Amino acid sequence: GIQVEQSPPDLILQEGANSTLRCNFSDSVNNLQWFHQNPWGQLINLFYIPSGTKQNGRLSATTVATERYSLLYISSSQTTDSGVYFCAVGGNTPLVFGKGTRLSVIA
Amino acid sequence: DSGVTQTPKHLITATGQRVTLRCSPRSGDLSVYWYQQSLDQGLQFLIQYYNGEERAKGNILERFSAQQFPDLHSELNLSSLELGDSALYFCASSQRQGDSNQPQHFGDGTRLSIL
């Protein structure tokens, strides 16, 4: 099956800093989603981005499907950005999740 | 708000018991997926239903079963519960069969604790 690797596994940032999270996947996909799991356990859908670039406020994402990776950019980080960020991919199958990047933003 | 409703939010029970988790998909979505998030296994796909029929199976134990009803809500039944079944169970929905070119929308999850 599809393998998904996320890096880094942990990230600590000072408030206001920028960061880039990476997701590598092992096979071609036609579904890629980025999620933020908040401290209450809720999975918040950030982007549906099987290819191309999208932006939503301080967050943006780019997927280069031909090279099998996706990047999530967080700019001017805030303490509310803390949590775990998951990349999930799928072909004609249900989503396969990476292990996530745990982000801690310190005031 | 994703539009996917899961009940209950929390469930505490004992080993050997049986529980039912409920999911109402977003209006218009025909596919329902169940995922389990545990500390040791991460987020794993369990089972998918489309318009009442089972479409895909993942790492679902034989003690677990699910169904999707004519009104499209789904239930996940967990029986003979063990300590290792303690986890966060998510339901997700999407519009059409399969995952081609469409996002999945996740509910807030049911946190199951086995004592």
Side-chain angles (χ1 to χ4, degrees), chain A residues 30-31 33 35 37 40-43 45 48 50 86 90-95 97, chain B residues 33 35 37 43 45 48 56 88 90 99-108 111:
Chain A
N30 51 24
N31 184 355
Q33 294 181 244
F35 297 90
Q37 188 165 38
W40 296 271
Q42 294 173 311
L43 271 177
N45 196 347
Y48 167 71
F86 289 102
N92 289 315
T93 56
L95 292 175
F97 283 79
Chain B
Y33 309 78
Y35 293 85
Q37 185 178 29
L43 263 158
F45 165 69
Q48 177 200 359
L88 194 47
F90 287 102
D99 291 333
S100 299
N101 298 322
Q102 56 184 308
Q104 291 183 28
H105 302 269
F106 280 71
D108 288 347
R111 189 174 297 276

Side-chain angles (χ1 to χ4, degrees), chain B residues 29 51 82 92 96 107:
Chain B
D29 284 358
N51 205 18
E82 302 175 359
R96 297 185 301 275

